[in-house]
Amino acid sequence: PMLSIENTYSTEELFEFDGRIRKLSGRAAITYVVELKIDGVAVSLRYRNGRLVLAATRGDGLRGDDITANALMIREVPPEIDWHDSLEVRGEIYMRKDDFEKINAARAAAGEPLFANPRNAASGSLKLLDPSVVATRGLRLFAYAAILQPGFPTHWETLDFIEKLGFPVNEHRTRCRDIKEVVARC
């Protein structure tokens, strides 16, 4: 399943989360990776024999929309990678604010309805039937997970792996030794 991330709004909630994770794992301390949240559309990119065979949105968590043709119009989505086992890379397709403003200015000049925000613009763009229009929208990708066997022992190592394969990862990320460092970083 491709699940959604829950929001946390207080330091207390972060400490409660850490307590639950330590209890479940049986560990005294947990090392974390803190990444800047970029709001876009969650995507699953599936590769077989080094070729992209499916790009899909999260949808209901079990079944999403096939957006393969449109995903291939995004510069950061590699059609081929140097990995020949099955691999699923998960990430976020998003639109930068400056690209959003340019698109809305062009839409206003053409008398077309404006997009409400960059996330909706990205989502709507991925649903278009004409991939050539998607290519003009300036959509971007950053990858945040890989599903493969065997996996890597840490999230940081997973990010290094997918970055070496050519996927952009969130440049705004930090390793934190414990929940206190997470709170300080946030």
Side-chain angles (χ1 to χ4, degrees), residues 13 17 28 42 55 70 78-79 106 109 111 127 138 140 148 152 157 161 181:
E13 288 178 327
F17 171 79
N70 288 340
K127 294 176 183 176
R140 297 169 187 257
L148 71 160
F152 291 92
E157 289 172 278
F161 168 73
E181 282 190 12

Side-chain angles (χ1 to χ4, degrees), residues 98 133 150-151 154 156 158 169:
D98 56 343
V133 176
T154 70
W156 195 266
T158 301
V169 296

